[in-house]
Amino acid sequence: MFEARLVQSAILKKVLDAIKDLLTEATFECSDSGIQVQAMDNAHVSLVSLNLRSDGFDKYRCDRNLSMGMSIACMSKILRCAGSEDTVTLRALDNPENIVFIFESPNKEKLAEYEMKLINMDQEHLGIPETSYSCIVKMPSQEFSRICRDLSQFGESITFACSKEGIKFSASGDYGQATIKLAQTADADNEEEAVSVNMQEPVKLTFSCRYLNCFIKAGPLCAQVQLSMSNDVPLVCEYKIGDIGHIRYYLAPKIDD
Amino acid sequence: TPMQNDLQEFFALI
């Protein structure tokens, strides 16, 4: 028996919004420690790594490890049926063919159940080495979203250049060039609005706007985003999910031909 | 436009 309950179904809705543009289907690995998803987009350019810890759920039970292949589009449709104040419970048997989503209104007067067929999937796991990154930048997620959207108008890719002065984002295309510089914030009174740069070595990396614009869909999950970068290795873009876990996106850099 | 790398070149398939 697997059962996981979240009082705030809104968290799960936001998680689905954060992955549905990148993934069509994914395997949800459920164990005693929680729920994990690791999946690449179809083009093998980016990877989503989602971790929801069991202790972050309001109720969690997983008698045996389960790998459940799910259609992200279908799951997203189901979660759109949850009211914003509803609680959500995920439930499956030990050898499941289906997973059930149960939504309960705060006054317990409405109970909705949606059963979704599971799908058989080939497992394609990537071993991500433990890396110490040259630059770790933390910044408001809204600001990062704005920068990605704004610069996407000027080119297909955005160059991230990080130095001890701060981080510079730039894009260029047929119409010209755009650059946005962010300096480290001086006062750390408001953590949510702070920009912090932890640099060992300067980095300069170029990434596809198309993927960055998918990652920023996780913005509503967390006020801050963390960008971990080293030259010539994939970017890690991380959003915390309250006290329950995190979503990390890995994105391969572009290289000059 | 720079070439897009494949993520699998950076990580090992397991």
Side-chain angles (χ1 to χ4, degrees):
Chain A
M1 176 82 171
F2 167 76
E3 194 169 79
R5 181 167 179 264
L6 269 181
V7 169
Q8 288 180 279
S9 62
I11 293 175
L12 202 56
K13 279 184 179 217
K14 288 177 191 171
V15 168
L16 263 291
D17 285 342
I19 62 174
K20 70 178 166 55
D21 294 341
L22 280 171
L23 306 175
T24 51
E25 46 198 36
T27 302
F28 286 66
E29 308 273 3
C30 304
S31 70
D32 224 20
S33 59
I35 302 174
Q36 286 186 309
V37 176
Q38 197 213 68
M40 271 185 290
D41 72 282
N42 285 337
H44 292 177
V45 172
S46 69
L47 179 135
V48 176
S49 174
L50 170 69
N51 187 11
L52 302 171
R53 289 190 314 273
S54 53
D55 59 17
F57 286 86
D58 300 290
K59 185 181 173 189
Y60 191 90
R61 174 183 166 186
C62 186
D63 297 340
R64 50 169 292 191
N65 293 356
L66 292 177
S67 288
M68 295 189 280
M70 302 197 206
S71 154
I72 299 300
C74 183
M75 201 175 169
S76 185
K77 276 183 196 171
I78 290 173
L79 279 157
R80 276 205 290 272
C81 303
S84 57
E85 303 293 317
D86 285 359
T87 62
V88 57
T89 303
L90 314 183
R91 188 180 290 158
L93 300 173
D94 277 349
N95 288 303
E97 290 183 4
N98 302 296
I99 182 163
V100 183
F101 295 79
I102 302 153
F103 303 130
E104 196 173 16
S105 63
N107 58 17
K108 298 191 188 305
E109 286 169 359
K110 182 179 173 188
L111 188 75
E113 286 196 19
Y114 297 86
E115 192 175 274
M116 183 176 83
K117 282 185 187 146
L118 297 176
I119 43 181
N120 285 323
M121 287 183 59
D122 289 333
Q123 296 279 38
E124 208 177 36
H125 257 274
L126 287 182
I128 302 162
E130 284 286 323
T131 313
S132 58
Y133 288 90
S134 303
C135 294
I136 296 178
V137 176
K138 291 179 187 168
M139 61 186 285
S141 53
Q142 278 190 356
E143 186 67 74
F144 182 59
S145 302
R146 176 84 198 262
I147 288 169
C148 291
R149 277 197 296 265
D150 288 354
L151 294 187
S152 298
Q153 301 180 100
F154 297 92
E156 285 180 5
S157 54
I158 299 176
T159 299
F160 294 28
C162 189
S163 67
K164 59 180 186 299
E165 281 80 39
I167 183 161
K168 186 173 87 173
F169 301 92
S170 56
S172 58
D174 297 341
Y175 300 106
Q177 189 176 323
T179 302
I180 299 167
K181 286 181 197 164
L182 284 185
Q184 185 156 212
T185 45
D187 68 275
D189 285 352
N190 190 342
E191 279 183 24
E192 292 194 350
E193 287 174 20
V195 175
S196 75
V197 178
N198 186 338
M199 190 211 76
Q200 310 299 323
E201 271 181 73
V203 297
K204 193 176 179 191
L205 291 159
T206 300
F207 302 105
S208 160
C209 292
R210 191 182 140 207
Y211 292 92
L212 294 170
N213 284 328
C214 290
F215 301 170
I216 62 174
K217 300 282 167 67
L221 282 167
C222 188
Q224 285 257 313
V225 59
Q226 177 174 302
L227 307 171
S228 303
M229 295 164 281
S230 290
N231 283 322
D232 303 319
V233 304
L235 164 77
V236 190
C237 177
E238 176 176 337
Y239 295 85
K240 295 247 182 303
I241 306 171
D243 293 327
I244 181 169
H246 61 251
I247 183 162
R248 287 187 189 135
Y249 301 97
Y250 294 82
L251 179 60
K254 287 187 158 193
I255 41 158
D256 283 322
D257 207 355
Chain B
T1 313
M3 294 267 290
Q4 179 62 60
N5 271 310
D6 187 323
L7 197 70
Q8 290 176 116
E9 291 168 18
F10 298 95
F11 301 141
L13 266 177
I14 52 173

